[in-house]
Amino acid sequence: MRGLLGIALRNLFLRREQGMLLFAVIAAASGVLVGVMSLSAGVAATQKDVVTTFLSGELNVGGFFKVHPDSISPVVGDAARVRTVVEPLVPDGCLLRERGRGQATAGAGRHRVRSYVVALDVEGEGAALRRFKVKDGALETLARPRTVALSTQLAGRLHVRLGDMATLFTQTVGGQRNALDVEVVAITERAGLLGESAGILVSNATLRELDGYRPGSAGVLQVACAGADGGGLDVDGLAGQLRDSLRQAGFTVLPPAREAYGDKLSPLLREGWAGQRVDVTTWEDESAFLGFISAGLAALTVLVGAITLAVVMMGLFVSLSVAVRERTREVGTLRAVGMHRRSVVGMFMLEGMLLGAVSSGLGALVATGVCVLLRDAISLPEALSGFLFSDTLPLAPGPGHVVAAVILATVGATLASIIPAARASSLSPRSAMDSL
């Protein structure tokens, strides 16, 4: 094996001029693949950060209340009783925060825009408030009655600035229409598509006044954990425990569904029940309406991977096929001195494997360095930043991306070497020498 490896390395070195183009092409293809995987990972991390800041905790215990079968509100009427069930199951390192949720139309002058409402327990949020990126004002002032924070997108559409007055219009839990004049006390930075769909921030008290909820009600209790991976929390396992505990406590719990709470309102409204239903969801459930973004990036990664594999296989197949014809005398000599057919196959396959591994490894490492340098350094146009949840290019390169690119290129190079290597081994010593 060591002898075959030495021959393969010598042949690659002697034919370095012919192999440099193929080396560069494989390296470039591997680098592009690493770049796409880094972008996909970066967008996934940014999306989760935005979702768990605005819409969701790692786990959510919310509910839907129907005064009568023809009306529905996303609220838990007896939040204290639900809290007594949920609190003992909250893992160490996580906190249980109270949020409110709903829908409202914000108006200022002749301008109107409809959006989802996120309500905060300003005092209870603590350090979590710093996760919101504020462009102007301070979210702490939401503790004042009848105040609102708007996203940059909504503030622009309403033509309002800090200190201006706006009006929130909604339908109360009993089905009546209500309006509330509020002061704009903060404007948040862009948060991708959520800046449009969930761009109204108020306090829990303001939301209760707007929607006509009674004291003691809550939109949702969220289990929020530190760390990008949620502190290693098994959200599906904990969700199952919470559902079982809530059922044992006498609550009617909705079955799990991969849908955001807003997408459940219309189907549940058509059902003929009244009263309270409790719903346990994960952050992935609440961000299901954004799944087309991750699915698109996954498809792009697969496409680039397939192109990389095709480039490696086609390039090496052509290169080694030409090499077999050019090295007919060499192959005949090696066969004449006793080299077995398997050794000839191994020699050519080692050449392909070495070229694929070295070129893809170098290309992947260079691409990783470039991604680190460009991370959050390139500003994105507004249309693109909405889908990528960031104003700058979110790249998150990792060792796994390098390993994946090298393995893909090496496997492709090995497969592409089989047919040329088999042709070379089929040459007999006599026919190889006579062909010169």
Side-chain angles (χ1 to χ4, degrees):
M1 184 65 180
R2 184 178 300 177
L4 291 178
L5 182 61
I7 296 173
L9 288 171
R10 178 185 62 83
N11 288 333
L12 287 175
F13 180 77
L14 292 176
R15 300 182 67 251
R16 59 186 180 276
E17 294 182 359
Q18 296 94 324
M20 283 305 295
L21 177 60
L22 184 57
F23 184 96
V25 170
I26 295 176
S30 300
V32 172
L33 179 58
V34 168
V36 172
M37 289 190 291
S38 299
L39 176 62
S40 181
V43 172
T46 305
Q47 176 179 323
K48 181 181 179 183
D49 182 66
V50 171
V51 168
T52 54
T53 297
F54 279 86
L55 296 183
S56 172
E58 270 69 29
L59 203 63
N60 311 281
V61 181
F64 302 90
F65 188 82
K66 300 174 75 171
V67 177
H68 48 77
D70 296 329
S71 69
I72 188 168
S73 296
V75 65
V76 177
D78 193 353
R81 184 176 163 217
V82 174
R83 182 183 286 271
T84 59
V85 177
V86 175
E87 213 158 28
L89 297 176
V90 176
D92 294 336
C94 301
L95 61 89
L96 190 64
R97 67 191 184 196
E98 181 184 326
R99 291 275 182 96
R101 51 194 189 182
Q103 292 176 297
T105 298
R110 295 174 298 171
H111 307 286
R112 297 287 186 276
V113 60
R114 187 163 181 80
S115 176
Y116 282 96
V117 179
V118 178
L120 311 173
D121 177 8
V122 179
E123 295 180 357
E125 291 278 339
L129 279 182
R130 291 196 290 270
R131 295 183 62 185
F132 291 89
K133 298 178 181 179
V134 180
K135 181 179 181 180
D136 202 2
L139 292 182
E140 288 76 9
T141 53
L142 287 176
R144 288 161 38 194
R146 299 192 176 188
T147 53
V148 67
L150 299 175
S151 68
T152 298
Q153 295 99 311
L154 263 61
R157 293 178 62 181
L158 292 174
H159 300 277
V160 296
R161 296 179 297 178
L162 200 68
D164 290 347
M165 296 299 295
T167 304
L168 299 180
F169 305 91
T170 192
Q171 183 172 298
T172 67
V173 66
Q176 296 83 20
R177 295 188 179 276
N178 191 24
L180 193 67
D181 292 328
V182 291
E183 178 188 358
V184 179
V185 296
I187 296 176
T188 60
E189 294 281 5
R190 298 184 183 277
L193 297 178
L194 296 185
E196 287 282 355
S197 61
I200 302 175
L201 299 178
V202 297
S203 68
N204 286 330
T206 299
L207 182 64
R208 291 191 188 100
E209 183 180 1
L210 176 66
D211 284 344
Y213 298 151
R214 68 185 184 186
S217 62
V220 61
L221 299 177
Q222 298 179 346
V223 179
C225 303
D229 61 347
L233 178 66
D234 178 12
V235 292
D236 292 325
L238 182 56
Q241 294 180 40
L242 287 170
R243 291 188 186 98
D244 291 340
S245 298
L246 288 165
R247 289 191 185 100
Q248 292 173 8
F251 291 99
T252 302
V253 182
L254 294 175
R258 189 68 78 184
E259 289 181 305
Y261 85 91
D263 295 328
K264 298 176 181 178
L265 290 170
S266 294
L268 291 175
L269 181 60
R270 291 193 292 268
E271 297 180 6
W273 54 268
Q276 181 75 67
R277 297 291 186 273
V278 177
D279 190 27
V280 179
T281 61
T282 68
W283 75 269
E284 292 174 317
D285 298 334
E286 296 297 339
S287 62
F289 66 99
L290 300 172
F292 71 96
I293 297 176
S294 54
L297 287 173
L300 178 61
T301 302
V302 172
L303 177 62
V304 173
I307 293 174
T308 300
L309 185 63
V311 167
V312 172
M313 293 186 67
M314 291 179 62
L316 270 174
F317 178 79
V318 172
S319 177
L320 290 178
S321 296
V322 172
V324 169
R325 289 196 297 268
E326 292 178 347
R327 294 159 58 186
T328 303
R329 183 177 180 181
E330 175 191 340
V331 174
T333 302
L334 292 173
R335 294 281 288 118
V337 298
M339 179 176 280
H340 296 291
R341 293 181 186 273
R342 287 181 301 176
S343 298
V344 175
V345 172
M347 178 182 68
F348 278 91
M349 291 187 68
L350 274 174
E351 290 182 26
M353 289 176 62
L354 287 171
L355 183 59
V358 174
S359 57
S360 62
L362 182 60
L365 289 174
V366 171
T368 299
V370 172
C371 288
V372 170
L373 292 175
L374 297 181
R375 181 168 49 198
D376 299 327
I378 298 179
S379 298
L380 299 175
E382 182 177 341
L384 190 57
S385 66
F387 288 97
L388 301 186
F389 301 95
S390 176
D391 290 332
T392 57
L393 192 62
L395 297 171
H401 302 151
V402 175
V403 173
V406 172
I407 290 176
L408 183 65
T410 304
V411 170
T414 303
L415 294 175
S417 305
I418 293 176
I419 294 178
R423 289 176 178 173
S425 67
S426 66
L427 294 173
S428 65
R430 180 174 182 177
S431 61
M433 298 302 292
D434 290 345
S435 64
L436 299 176

